[in-house]
Amino acid sequence: MTDWRTASRSRSRTLLTRAVTTVTSTVAGACLLTGCGLVPGATGGSGGTITVMTWAPEGTKATNMGGMPAMAKAYERWINGKGGINGRKLHVLTCNEHNTAGGAADCARQAIAARAVAVVGSYSQWGRAFMAPLEAEGIPFIGGYGVSAEEFQSTLSYPVNGGQPVLLAGAGHQLGKACDDVALVRPDTLAGDSMPILLNAGFKAVKPQREAADVRAPEDSANYVDEARAALTEAAKSKGKEKDKDREKTAAAASDKDGGCVAAVLGERTETFFDSFRRLDTQAKKPQLSSVLGSVSQSLVDRTGGKESQFEGAYVTSWYPVSGDPLWQPMRKVIAENAFGDNRVNPDDTGTQTTWIAYSVFSEIVKRLGKDGEVTGRTVSRALNHSPGVETGGLTPGLSWRYQDMRAVGGFPRMANCRVTFQVVQDGRIVAQPGETTMDMTQTLEAAPRSG
């Protein structure tokens, strides 16, 4: 009896061992095929793979930023052609967030499922939807475009520019030198609600007694005639008023325009708005046009007529040097050699430029972890939190996200770079505005009402 039971138990253990071995092999094989997270190198050691994700909206009726994931894939090909980062292969996943909260959350869940160590150089206005899932898994968000408040609030976000807050404050400062009245045309969305406050922070720093008019517009309309008419009316209120005598020549010329200033920040719909605006009888009032890079680009100026474009003479505010600056040459070389004809990648586009800078920061931080250092979301964020500064080849100031480096900007405590450059469309090209230099908007934003 005892021998029979012993033999039975032995056979059961043998069958169980075989079953466990089979299941383990099957799961491991499936993970290799599907990328469920068992990625060599994710926990340290050279020769492995580092997985990251880049997302952006594509194919939508509003803003599309396909150049960001396309730039990320070009960077992946380039860096892997050089042997990777510290000997580790970079694996870039991309995701279309469809410009919806659900799409942003889905992309975040995909990054988590793939055990990405970071989300790098991405665009989404739905910060509440994507940031919480990333925070729960300890995944840092590096170099987002800067259109959601959460990018400047979450302790796991590492912005490389000042986002919309800095651009709008800079635009307000730029317009304050040119006009007594300004009309801001902006999307009627949650992300758009803070825009008037931010633009007025810069505008009122130059003209304390004045305030820009707020003209709300649908985010995805095909016709903005009503909004254009409202903007023209609001911008022309100061016709005939005495102008300041100590303005720069370029600003004085703009001030002589009887129609004041019209600033539109509608992403890809900015072109549609100004097309509607052009159809109005604006010649008698001659308003000064304005926008920010991202809503206006060199490719848009080229597409709408170059020197004959309606944007000729328009003011533009940016985070970065003009696209023709030699500082962009390394990025242009990578695009030329690794984008393989992908027409989504435009070196003049701020989304493409932001992604390049974001990946430059990520690569530098991973290098600092060492060849045998553990590379996970938590080790990457820890390195970012303690690094005294990351250089980006002069495209931004040295970037640091240590507690002592944060700006005291209400609603945007994670802001690490408040620099803007002032530009103008001249002879069909977006160039540096004569007489203007790079400006840090920290003090302007610190004095602004809380808008986050």
Side-chain angles (χ1 to χ4, degrees):
M1 178 74 73
T2 302
D3 292 340
W4 176 83
R5 288 177 177 173
T6 300
S8 178
R9 285 195 294 270
S10 178
R11 285 194 297 272
S12 297
R13 282 195 297 271
T14 300
L15 290 171
L16 179 59
T17 299
R18 289 175 179 172
V20 170
T21 301
T22 300
V23 170
T24 301
S25 299
T26 301
V27 171
C31 282
L32 288 173
L33 290 172
T34 62
C36 66
L38 298 177
V39 182
T43 57
S46 61
T49 300
I50 302 170
T51 300
V52 298
M53 175 175 277
T54 297
W55 65 55
E58 296 188 67
T60 75
K61 293 181 179 179
T63 298
N64 296 293
M65 301 295 288
M68 299 183 79
M71 180 71 242
K73 295 302 289 185
Y75 190 94
E76 174 194 48
R77 287 187 286 269
W78 171 70
I79 201 72
N80 288 337
K82 295 175 55 181
I85 308 173
N86 283 347
R88 297 179 174 97
K89 180 181 178 182
L90 179 66
H91 178 43
V92 175
L93 303 172
T94 62
C95 182
N96 184 353
E97 64 92 68
H98 297 290
N99 200 30
T100 65
D106 286 343
C107 288
R109 285 190 287 267
Q110 288 182 40
I112 294 167
R115 297 187 66 178
V117 302
V119 174
V120 185
S122 296
Y123 182 106
S124 178
Q125 64 174 303
W126 306 101
R128 292 182 183 179
F130 70 75
M131 207 66 235
L134 297 183
E135 289 174 335
E137 297 298 324
I139 299 175
F141 187 76
I142 303 172
Y145 194 82
V147 290
S148 69
E150 287 74 13
E151 294 175 57
F152 300 98
Q153 297 168 350
S154 171
T155 55
L156 278 178
S157 179
Y158 303 88
V160 299
N161 58 51
Q164 291 279 30
V166 164
L167 286 183
L168 287 160
H173 179 91
Q174 188 178 30
L175 292 171
K177 291 184 174 183
C179 294
D180 290 325
D181 282 310
V182 173
L184 170 65
V185 185
R186 52 87 170 183
D188 189 11
T189 63
L190 182 63
D193 287 344
S194 65
M195 288 184 178
I197 299 172
L198 295 165
L199 185 131
N200 277 319
F203 186 48
K204 291 169 77 68
V206 182
K207 287 189 166 62
Q209 304 305 316
R210 307 197 72 82
E211 191 170 276
D214 180 17
V215 180
R216 302 183 183 191
E219 188 179 27
D220 57 357
S221 177
N223 189 312
Y224 290 101
V225 171
D226 290 341
E227 291 78 12
R229 187 174 289 109
L232 188 62
T233 299
E234 292 289 345
K237 284 185 176 180
S238 64
K239 181 177 179 179
K241 290 186 177 181
E242 184 180 355
K243 307 297 188 292
D244 296 336
K245 297 179 180 180
D246 58 346
R247 292 171 181 165
E248 296 290 337
K249 289 183 179 180
T250 54
S255 297
D256 289 338
K257 293 177 180 293
D258 294 332
C261 292
V262 175
V265 184
L266 293 168
E268 286 195 357
R269 292 293 169 171
T270 302
E271 177 183 4
T272 306
F273 169 78
F274 279 120
D275 186 57
S276 297
F277 191 81
R278 178 178 54 83
R279 296 175 189 174
L280 300 178
D281 183 15
T282 62
Q283 290 305 308
K285 297 181 180 180
K286 298 179 182 178
Q288 169 65 48
L289 304 186
S290 169
S291 190
V292 299
L293 274 181
S295 288
V296 170
S297 63
Q298 183 59 56
S299 60
L300 173 59
V301 175
D302 294 341
R303 189 170 66 247
T304 55
K307 293 181 180 181
E308 305 303 321
S309 169
Q310 59 188 314
F311 295 104
E312 181 68 20
Y315 286 163
V316 183
T317 312
S318 178
W319 304 299
Y320 311 130
V322 292
S323 60
D325 194 294
L327 292 172
W328 292 111
Q329 191 54 38
M331 180 194 71
R332 290 179 176 276
K333 188 172 186 293
V334 168
I335 292 173
E337 296 176 355
N338 296 274
F340 300 125
D342 190 337
N343 58 14
R344 293 178 301 167
V345 187
N346 182 350
D348 297 330
D349 174 63
T350 46
T352 297
Q353 294 169 352
T354 299
T355 303
W356 167 260
I357 293 171
Y359 270 92
S360 299
V361 168
F362 175 76
S363 294
E364 175 59 27
I365 288 297
V366 172
K367 288 177 184 176
R368 294 183 185 185
L369 294 174
K371 291 186 177 181
D372 296 317
E374 185 180 36
V375 183
T376 66
R378 299 189 190 281
T379 62
V380 169
S381 60
R382 190 180 305 123
L384 286 162
N385 289 337
H386 293 92
S387 292
V390 180
E391 298 300 322
T392 60
L395 296 171
T396 69
L399 299 172
S400 179
W401 299 270
R402 298 177 302 176
Y403 177 78
Q404 61 265 39
D405 297 320
M406 295 296 104
R407 270 69 167 174
V409 178
F412 305 95
R414 297 290 292 175
M415 198 169 284
N417 174 15
C418 290
R419 190 168 79 177
V420 295
T421 60
F422 300 113
Q423 303 171 14
V424 63
V425 181
Q426 205 169 71
D427 293 327
R429 299 294 302 173
I430 298 179
V431 299
Q433 184 180 355
E436 297 290 345
T437 59
T438 297
M439 185 174 183
D440 190 297
M441 303 304 298
T442 300
Q443 291 185 346
T444 298
L445 288 171
E446 286 178 347
R450 183 182 177 89
S451 54

